[in-house]
């Protein structure tokens, strides 16, 4: 019943083609009444999502997904763990404290969402080149996934990948060309207008910029500065 849970329910309701049945579990009676008045197709239940009797009574085992976004890591962990024990197929859990990541893995919670990393990825997207479509951070920010367009003047465009000078640590995982999805190999060529999915270490971002930036002149002018900063 908090801000994230309410907004998620609102988004699910706005999808008119969706036949998802949404339930929100909230402890506070006033909050329950407030969000129930604002949501049209969501069932709002007053209760404790970590209470075994409550979960049994609401037949949580028949749910496909549980999303734990209470704002408290320990409550989220316990609710997700109990849902798994009841047989819920998928759990999605918010975590604020990065130290809890290893615990999530040990108890089998497969989908962990970090507001901090999500915010960081959005900021990075804003400050990166205009060709970036989307960006996500994984593994505590140690890995980055980017989807970007290949501009006409990109250094990597119109070359076999094996001859494009792609540094170790940058992996092009997929190429989207119109309706076609290509898993690239060394002899494949990227063309302007292709969309590519890249896996990289954030420390190699400047190398990605050098490969995909749309203005070769700017890249050459800044090359010494970039290299010196990296050193």
């Amino acid at each position: 019943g908090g801000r994230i849970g309410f907004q998620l329910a609102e988004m699910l309701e706005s999808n008119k083609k969706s036949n998802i049945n949404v339930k929100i579990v909230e402890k506070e009676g006033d909050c329950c009444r407030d969000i129930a008045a604002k949501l049209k197709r969501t069932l709002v239940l007053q209760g404790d999502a970590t209470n075994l009797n409550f979960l049994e009574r609401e037949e949580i085992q028949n749910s496909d997904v549980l999303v734990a976004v209470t704002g408290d890591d320990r409550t989220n962990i316990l609710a997700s763990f109990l849902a798994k024990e009841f047989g819920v197929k998928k759990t999605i859990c918010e975590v604020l404290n990065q130290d809890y990541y290893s615990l999530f893995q040990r108890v089998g919670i497969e989908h962990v969402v970090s507001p901090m990393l999500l915010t960081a990825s959005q900021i990075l997207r804003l400050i990166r080149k205009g060709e970036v479509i989307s960006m996500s951070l994984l593994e505590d920010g140690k890995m980055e996934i980017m989807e970007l367009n290949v501009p006409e003047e990109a250094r990597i465009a119109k070359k076999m990948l094996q001859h494009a000078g792609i540094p170790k640590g940058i992996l092009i995982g997929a190429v989207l060309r119109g309706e076609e999805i290509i898993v690239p190999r060394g002899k494949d060529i990227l063309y302007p207008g292709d969309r590519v999915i890249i896996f990289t270490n954030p420390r190699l971002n400047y190398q990605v910029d050098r490969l995909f930036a749309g203005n070769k002149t700017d890249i050459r002018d800044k090359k010494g500065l970039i290299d010196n900063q990296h050193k």
Side-chain angles (χ1 to χ4, degrees):
R3 181 171 55 87
I4 297 176
F6 172 77
Q7 290 180 347
L8 176 59
E10 213 172 26
M11 290 172 64
L12 292 170
E13 282 194 352
S14 68
N15 184 352
K16 302 224 181 334
K17 296 181 180 179
S18 169
N19 60 353
I20 298 174
N21 295 315
V22 183
K23 295 181 181 180
I24 287 182
V25 178
E26 167 59 47
K27 283 184 178 181
E28 300 296 329
D30 289 342
C31 184
C32 285
R33 285 186 287 273
D34 182 50
I35 59 180
K38 295 176 181 176
L39 296 171
K40 298 176 182 178
R41 295 189 290 117
T42 299
L43 178 61
V44 182
L45 303 170
Q46 183 176 3
D48 182 353
T50 62
N51 181 288
L52 289 174
N53 291 330
F54 175 81
L55 295 176
E56 286 178 338
R57 188 167 65 249
E58 294 303 326
E59 299 180 332
I60 191 174
Q61 68 274 10
N62 295 327
S63 300
D64 297 302
V65 183
L66 175 129
V67 183
V69 284
T70 68
D72 180 82
D73 286 349
R74 288 170 293 184
T75 301
N76 290 343
I77 292 171
L78 181 55
S80 299
F81 177 74
L82 291 175
K84 294 292 287 186
E85 289 296 297
F86 272 100
V88 175
K89 300 178 183 69
K90 181 184 291 186
T91 55
I92 300 171
C93 190
E94 173 197 30
V95 58
L96 303 175
N97 187 341
Q98 306 301 303
D99 295 336
Y100 282 122
Y101 265 94
S102 59
L103 176 60
F104 279 101
Q105 293 172 346
R106 284 200 295 271
V107 299
I109 299 170
E110 61 270 76
H111 300 288
V112 180
V113 178
S114 166
M116 183 187 74
L117 290 182
L118 287 173
T119 303
S121 69
Q122 292 301 316
I123 293 171
L124 282 171
R125 181 182 173 188
L126 289 174
I127 65 176
R128 296 294 305 282
K129 301 296 181 182
E131 291 81 16
V132 176
I133 300 169
S134 64
M135 178 183 294
S136 298
L137 294 171
L138 303 175
E139 296 292 334
D140 278 351
K142 297 174 185 176
M143 180 63 64
E144 190 173 305
I145 304 176
M146 282 184 283
E147 179 184 356
L148 49 81
N149 285 319
V150 179
E152 180 70 33
E153 296 182 353
R155 178 175 296 193
I156 200 171
K158 304 175 186 178
K159 292 181 181 177
M160 286 188 183
L161 293 178
Q162 62 191 19
H163 301 314
I166 301 173
K168 185 177 180 181
I170 296 176
L171 173 66
I172 298 178
V175 179
L176 290 77
R177 185 172 297 151
E179 298 297 319
E180 184 181 9
I181 299 176
I182 302 166
V183 179
R185 300 181 180 274
K187 293 186 178 180
D188 285 312
I189 298 173
L190 294 185
Y191 294 100
D194 284 350
R195 291 164 59 193
V196 296
I197 308 296
I198 296 176
F199 299 84
T200 184
N201 186 311
R203 289 180 298 176
L204 297 175
N205 277 341
Y206 79 103
Q207 294 279 19
V208 176
D209 286 342
R210 292 174 69 181
L211 290 170
F212 287 91
N215 190 322
K216 291 182 179 179
T217 303
D218 287 347
I219 292 171
R220 285 195 293 269
D221 290 344
K222 295 177 183 176
K223 181 177 183 297
L225 176 61
I226 292 173
D227 287 345
N228 288 333
Q229 287 177 337
H230 181 59
K231 291 173 184 177

